[in-house]
Amino acid sequence: MSYNTSKQNKKSRKRTSNLPPSFPSDKYGIDVIPGRKGFLSNTSADAYRVALETSYEGFVSDNHFEGCQEKEIQKSLSVMDDAGLFRFDITQPFGLGSKCAKTYVSRCLLGEEGTTYRYLGLRMFSHPWNGYHGASGVASDTELHDAIKTISKLNLKLEERTKSLLPKLMDKRTRRGINAHDAIKGRSKFDVALINKMDSSEELKAEPSFGGARCSVSWHADSSLEHYSTIAVYQTIVGDDTRQKKSAIDPRSSWSVALRVLHNAEGPAAASVVKTDSTTSVSSNAPPILTSLPSGSAYFLLDDFNHHHQHAVIAPSSSTQSVRFSSTHRLLREGGNVSFILQRCATACSNFHRKGPKIWRSEQLLLTEIETEWLRQFYIQGEGNKRLLWKWWGKPICQLFSYWSKLEDRTKQVINLLISAAKGRCTNNNIFATKNDERKAKKAFNSINDIVERSKISCAKECLYDPFASLLEDRATMRKLWADREKDHVFTRVGTDYRPIPFPVEFGACNQRKKSDNDCIFQSSMVGGSPKDLQHIAYDIRAFGQFFISTDIAKIPQETSILNTQSSLSRKKDTAITEIGHNVDEKWTGWKTHQFGLEMQRPWAALALDKKKTIETRSYKLPPDLMNKKIEVLETEVGTVGVSELENIIEDENLFKSIDRIGWLVVDRIIEYASREHFEADEGKHLVKSDSVYGWHDGKTKVIYGWVIGQCGRYTDEKNRVVNLTRRMRSLFQITYGDPTGDTKIGKPNENRKKRTTKDQGKVHSGAVKKKKRRF
């Protein structure tokens, strides 16, 4: 039959669901509008039976579920409880960017290896039926393994019962005139059991539809399930002297399951309706029903019942103190198993040789999915959850991190390809530091040009650069929202075991994996990964997309991101300047278009700005394009003689540690000292004594260049913020100002600096107005 094969089931998903028959309300004189006294319970024998045969066709209950011993089930649940498996969830019902909420019910998920269940913005990771288990309480691993095995046996019994019920439902529907191929579409199989533990606490919210009765689980239809799959629920009730037995069916003193009709609440057509908890969307053709079942019972939502109905759990009155365990057995969609995402990752990584907008988009979406739907979901649930699951889940989580890292590296390769291609399209060779750089850029341009021609792209900027930048911006937004989620106030009201584990990634460092003593993974990224970094990178890509079109050398973008950097933690101070663009010569055209700073150690920087040192001496010429141009003074601490104390690229907190932008100067001419006599004659101007290591050394020194300082000045007011310093030649650094995604601008510092009047300046120098000097 069709409900026994997954192949037939997949084909049948394309067909429309069968809406439940209408309840004959006129015949029974029942008010079916929710919120009034029109609720049917299994104490209303005749009308309740008719409701099950019409609007609630597909709901079946067994007051005593045969095939398993209730005492054995209860013992197993007790072992699982002692082991700490039942945990409250911190959900985010309305998605990223909304408030988080702690559930009233504690839960655990059991299932086939690699299964997960996603609900209300949270992905639960299962304890495998036959896998490794980590007990955190008094139960041993062996006891826990046996307990979970018992639930696995219950799963098989519920599958058998489902298999016997589906043909009866199909027979009933075919007698009503429904085609046999459409009558039943679901399978009699379950791969997970979501077990809920709930008590009749006074903290539970009142449910208006039931006259103020307390609702343990509010109205919902189960999500993330294979379409047309049956849901089976086994319940057992403990902790009350007057246990809910077969005779105890009074809804006021019993745990009850409420049902109501809501067409397309779930299933293949669910996207076509607005999901709401409002009673205005509930069908007016049928009254909601209330079913009280004894301990040791089971009920089934067969085939497409979950598509067109919602259910809730109503707690007994406060005078009845009991705990209800409900083992909810379900069949997940294919994407809910980690093996599915791992296979997608393997396929994507095997296609890295392919290039083009479609393949790049699929890779970026997969990268975001791995991070937001799997890795971050695992770590946000806290150390307690990780400790319980790591024995089995450690391996697939490590595999996901490995693929995530490969896709991050792939992202950097695509970024570099796009930027290099834009440079390679330019006919001006002066933008390249070396011939090798030029060859790489031309090769990148040929690659992009091939993609443009092969894909029949009309505009590379609109079809390649901008879409890729948008994907990075989306990931930046995602990471910002996840950071906000991890800081939600709800985590301050739970135990430390429930609080998020920081996402174990060090962005911008060398690509390697480390393990700490508690198996926490640190997977590095070759791309700056903070939301701010990704925004910078996206900004650069869009700018180079525009440059790809214009190729105007005067409009070559000023890179604001950290594309070619490594973490300062992984760089050594004595590393040679080998990065691309850090050893440009004096003919580089960038000298004309960017702003620069000069590294000067104390006390020489201050002496120059106080006009006590009017010549700065160097062993190299100042690039001609910097003559008569303002150069910022980057003052550093006294360090090793003749060795720069700065990294090749400086950003973030490193800008504040040992550098101070104290002012600016203008070099108006260069003196070439070709002899000791000439050099020492100007000692009063350059202040370099004859015995200094920076002085003239016969047999070694051939020439010393004197940079004659013309105008200069100190910064006394607020300076334009710097986000990056990049070494371009010896002690000359290219400066990136401000934030391209924020309110500040990229440009020369004078553009945003407040001008002072002569009167104001006089006040500053006289001490009437004292302003603390700001560094970066």
Side-chain angles (χ1 to χ4, degrees), residues 297-309:
S297 62
Y299 59 90
F300 302 82
L301 312 181
L302 298 174
D303 197 59
D304 59 356
F305 187 91
N306 185 61
H307 294 179
H308 305 300
H309 300 82

Side-chain angles (χ1 to χ4, degrees), residues 412-430:
K412 183 177 186 297
Q413 292 170 8
V414 176
I415 292 170
N416 287 338
L417 176 66
L418 291 171
I419 291 179
S420 295
K423 294 178 180 178
R425 192 167 189 265
C426 182
T427 56
N428 191 325
N429 298 335
N430 291 331

Side-chain angles (χ1 to χ4, degrees), residues 131-371:
Y132 301 99
H133 309 289
S136 63
V138 298
S140 67
D141 284 1
T142 302
E143 288 177 314
L144 183 57
H145 178 84
D146 293 341
I148 293 178
K149 192 71 176 177
T150 298
I151 305 301
S152 176
K153 293 177 182 177
L154 172 62
N155 189 71
L156 295 175
K157 294 297 182 180
L158 291 170
E159 284 184 353
E160 291 177 5
R161 178 60 173 149
T162 302
K163 190 174 182 178
S164 69
L165 292 172
L166 285 174
K168 297 177 182 179
L169 179 60
M170 186 175 74
D171 182 61
K172 185 184 295 185
R173 288 178 172 177
T174 52
R175 282 190 280 109
R176 244 191 12 248
I178 297 177
N179 188 289
H181 292 290
D182 292 331
I184 294 294
K185 305 169 187 177
R187 294 191 281 161
S188 55
K189 176 177 173 55
F190 308 117
D191 56 4
V192 294
L194 178 63
I195 307 179
N196 302 304
K197 177 189 175 185
M198 56 194 80
D199 56 36
S200 50
S201 170
E202 294 184 358
E203 296 180 359
L204 298 177
K205 291 184 179 179
E207 171 52 55
S209 301
F210 292 97
R214 289 170 303 146
C215 189
S216 181
V217 180
S218 58
W219 287 113
H220 71 285
D222 290 345
S223 59
S224 303
L225 308 184
E226 183 179 285
H227 295 326
Y228 306 100
S229 61
T230 293
I231 300 169
V233 182
Y234 176 89
Q235 75 167 20
T236 182
I237 299 164
V238 298
D240 185 53
D241 294 335
T242 58
R243 291 179 63 243
Q244 190 168 331
K245 298 183 180 180
K246 290 184 180 180
S247 58
I249 57 174
D250 183 0
R252 292 171 297 180
S253 60
S254 306
W255 287 95
S256 304
V257 178
L259 299 169
R260 68 184 183 186
V261 177
L262 178 61
H263 296 163
N264 297 312
E266 272 294 336
S272 64
V273 297
V274 178
K275 296 182 181 180
T276 176
D277 203 36
S278 172
T279 55
T280 57
S281 62
V282 177
S283 173
S284 60
N285 295 325
I289 66 174
L290 194 65
T291 302
S292 300
L293 296 170
S295 181
S297 62
Y299 59 90
F300 302 82
L301 312 181
L302 298 174
D303 197 59
D304 59 356
F305 187 91
N306 185 61
H307 294 179
H308 305 300
H309 300 82
Q310 290 183 323
H311 54 278
V313 178
I314 307 301
S317 62
S318 58
S319 61
T320 304
Q321 297 298 320
S322 60
V323 176
R324 175 182 185 260
F325 288 92
S326 61
S327 186
T328 309
H329 296 250
R330 315 171 184 204
L331 179 61
L332 300 175
R333 295 174 191 168
E334 187 178 31
N337 196 298
V338 70
S339 61
F340 181 76
I341 189 74
L342 287 173
Q343 182 57 50
R344 288 175 56 200
C345 291
T347 302
C349 292
S350 67
N351 287 323
F352 278 173
H353 61 283
R354 299 173 58 193
K355 298 181 179 71
K358 290 184 178 179
I359 193 74
W360 290 340
R361 175 178 171 79
S362 65
E363 290 168 353
Q364 292 304 302
L365 293 177
L366 178 60
L367 173 56
T368 298
E369 182 179 351
I370 293 170
E371 181 175 332

Side-chain angles (χ1 to χ4, degrees), residues 360-422:
W360 290 340
R361 175 178 171 79
S362 65
E363 290 168 353
Q364 292 304 302
L365 293 177
L366 178 60
L367 173 56
T368 298
E369 182 179 351
I370 293 170
E371 181 175 332
T372 190
E373 288 295 331
W374 293 88
L375 297 177
R376 290 187 181 273
Q377 289 279 4
F378 186 84
Y379 283 92
I380 200 170
Q381 297 181 55
E383 190 63 44
N385 191 66
K386 176 177 177 288
R387 184 167 55 248
L388 289 167
L389 294 169
W390 192 256
K391 281 190 176 181
W392 191 89
W393 278 97
K395 181 178 179 179
I397 292 296
C398 288
Q399 290 174 315
L400 286 172
F401 264 119
S402 177
Y403 284 123
W404 177 90
S405 180
K406 291 178 181 178
L407 287 165
E408 281 276 297
D409 292 345
R410 169 71 161 178
T411 301
K412 183 177 186 297
Q413 292 170 8
V414 176
I415 292 170
N416 287 338
L417 176 66
L418 291 171
I419 291 179
S420 295

